[in-house]
Amino acid sequence: MAATRLPGTPRLLRALNDRAALDLLLSRGPLTRAQLGELTGLSKVTASQLVERLEERGLVRRVGEQAGGRGPNAQLYAVTPGSAHVIGVDVGPDSVLAACADITGTVTGRSELSTKDTDDPVGVVHQAVVQAASDAGTDITSVRRVVLGTPGLVDPQSGEISFAWDLPRWHRGLLADLRRDLSTPVVFGNDVNLAAVAESSTGAAAGVSDFALVWIGRGVGLASVIGGRLHQGATGAAGEIGYLPVGGAEVPHNASRRGVKGAFQTLAAAEAVKAIGRQHGFRGAEAADVVRAAVDAGEAGEPVLDELARRLALGVAATCLVLDPPLVVLAGEVGRAGGAALAGRVEREVAAITLVSPKVVVTGVAAEPVLHGALRTALDAVRDEVFGSTTD
């Protein structure tokens, strides 16, 4: 058995070295051959051969020179941005937001379209994707993957949307339609799960292998990351805590019907937040406006934050008693608006009513977390695909 593996060893080592070099160029910026050799532990000869191989494949390019001591200046190399593109899409009930990034992760094109007056989800996604690619100065043929973030359940086995409570025109069969229409790999992702991907990459959970993200906006949702991996459950329903039965709210017995709101959602989502605000004299067009006003009001706004924290703690406590994560991130429009004032209150409430006391913090992703999570998911897959082909 061992003898059959030996012929592949040099090829495997080249592939590993190439990937290590490409990852260094992505994370450290332009480097010389000597620097790549030093950082990877390769000899000068091997590092030079590696760079030549990657340059021939169009994966790296010369971007300048670095002055040294005696002798000619050393060439600087960087990953070729246009070697592949990805597109992330954030699909909401009123609009579709798409962004195109090159393989370095730099966002180079965007588009946003309304979905209010259309019965054609394939058409509106197609238009948003094509416009984002065009804005990036490329076309759909260079796009290696499209990841769409959507509310609702995404079946882990088929990748299809199986239920989306506020996207009535999204249905089974849509994934195949989009793949045919765009002629490129298309993947659906739950919006809150993608927000957790962004949080893990650049937000408050960066470097944390176990955490829960609680999303408070139009609805409430949960993403759980265990051992560095998203937990989706057997049907993709893991994290649908809007349907969590809680005291103080009516529990529906027809939850799978479209338009039916779960018990925890009626207690802690946007409409409930606005109702809490009205009880204490705070009003706003959006729930986040109400929470921001309460935070800015200081002592006068504390009753709003206290009541909201008590309600949120019911869902957070139930989650933490099952998963026991060291960290909980509050995200979504309401979570972000509440900031540290709301997060601190939720942390204290959870510790008071359970045997666990996770750290509760506000999201560290400044804006568009679903879109950024979609782009990160697409980039991870495409980098594996493109960078993994260096020895073909």
Side-chain angles (χ1 to χ4, degrees):
M1 181 67 71
T4 62
R5 292 178 180 175
L6 287 175
T9 300
R11 185 172 183 272
L12 175 60
L13 288 174
R14 283 197 299 272
L16 292 172
N17 290 337
D18 289 354
R19 182 61 192 262
L22 288 164
D23 286 341
L24 280 168
L25 290 171
L26 285 172
S27 62
R28 303 285 288 266
L31 297 169
T32 65
R33 296 186 185 205
Q35 288 169 335
L36 277 172
E38 183 179 347
L39 291 168
T40 57
L42 299 174
S43 68
K44 291 182 179 180
V45 172
T46 303
S48 292
Q49 292 172 342
L50 177 154
V51 170
E52 289 172 4
R53 187 164 59 246
L54 296 179
E55 196 172 17
E56 288 174 2
R57 296 297 300 267
L59 295 178
V60 304
R61 62 177 183 173
R62 303 179 192 192
V63 294
E65 296 181 344
Q66 184 179 77
R70 299 175 180 176
N73 293 340
Q75 296 287 334
L76 284 166
Y77 295 86
V79 172
T80 305
S83 54
H85 292 86
V86 300
I87 289 182
V89 185
D90 181 2
V91 180
D94 300 320
S95 65
V96 170
L97 175 62
C100 181
D102 61 39
I103 202 165
T104 71
T106 302
V107 175
T108 53
R110 293 170 62 93
S111 69
E112 185 170 9
L113 298 174
S114 172
T115 57
K116 290 182 178 179
D117 301 319
T118 180
D119 291 321
D120 180 16
V122 173
V124 72
V125 170
H126 175 98
Q127 190 176 355
V129 167
V130 170
Q131 285 186 6
S134 177
D135 191 50
T138 187
D139 56 46
I140 194 66
T141 60
S142 77
V143 175
R144 301 288 289 260
R145 182 167 292 239
V146 177
V147 174
L148 293 96
T150 173
L153 307 187
V154 178
D155 188 316
Q157 303 303 316
S158 67
E160 286 277 11
I161 294 176
S162 57
F163 178 76
W165 67 274
D166 58 355
L167 293 175
R169 299 178 185 89
W170 290 66
H171 52 79
R172 284 190 177 274
L174 187 58
L175 182 61
D177 291 344
L178 285 168
R179 287 173 174 170
R180 273 194 303 270
D181 180 77
L182 295 171
S183 299
T184 196
V186 178
V187 177
F188 284 136
N190 172 268
D191 54 356
V192 180
N193 283 345
L194 291 177
V197 171
E199 205 72 54
S200 180
S201 176
T202 60
V208 180
S209 59
D210 296 271
F211 71 95
L213 180 142
V214 178
W215 182 278
I216 315 112
R218 294 190 319 275
V220 288
L222 167 78
S224 52
V225 175
I226 304 170
R229 297 174 64 88
L230 276 168
H231 177 69
Q232 300 181 68
T235 64
E240 294 295 327
I241 58 169
Y243 295 94
L244 183 71
V246 290
E250 182 180 353
V251 178
H253 288 80
N254 54 353
S256 62
R257 287 180 56 189
R258 192 173 296 282
V260 174
K261 295 180 180 179
F264 188 53
Q265 178 162 333
T266 64
L267 201 66
E271 291 304 316
V273 173
K274 289 197 281 188
I276 295 170
R278 285 194 298 271
Q279 292 173 5
H280 299 281
F282 292 89
R283 287 175 167 78
E286 304 293 340
D289 299 330
V290 173
V291 174
R292 268 190 294 270
V295 172
D296 293 341
E299 187 175 344
E302 288 184 357
V304 174
L305 300 178
D306 290 341
E307 177 60 22
L308 179 56
R310 277 192 291 270
R311 297 186 184 195
L312 288 173
L314 297 176
V316 174
T319 298
C320 292
L321 283 171
V322 174
L323 299 177
D324 193 16
L327 178 71
V328 175
V329 180
L330 299 186
E333 300 88 345
V334 172
R336 188 185 308 118
L342 179 61
R345 284 171 167 82
V346 172
E347 181 176 315
R348 291 190 292 273
E349 285 289 331
V350 171
I353 64 175
T354 69
L355 299 177
V356 296
S357 53
K359 181 68 177 174
V360 181
V361 300
V362 68
T363 175
V365 180
E368 300 175 341
V370 177
L371 186 67
H372 286 296
L375 286 170
R376 171 54 54 186
T377 301
L379 280 168
D380 287 346
V382 169
R383 285 172 179 171
D384 284 344
E385 178 184 310
V386 174
F387 294 169
S389 66
T390 57
T391 59
D392 289 350

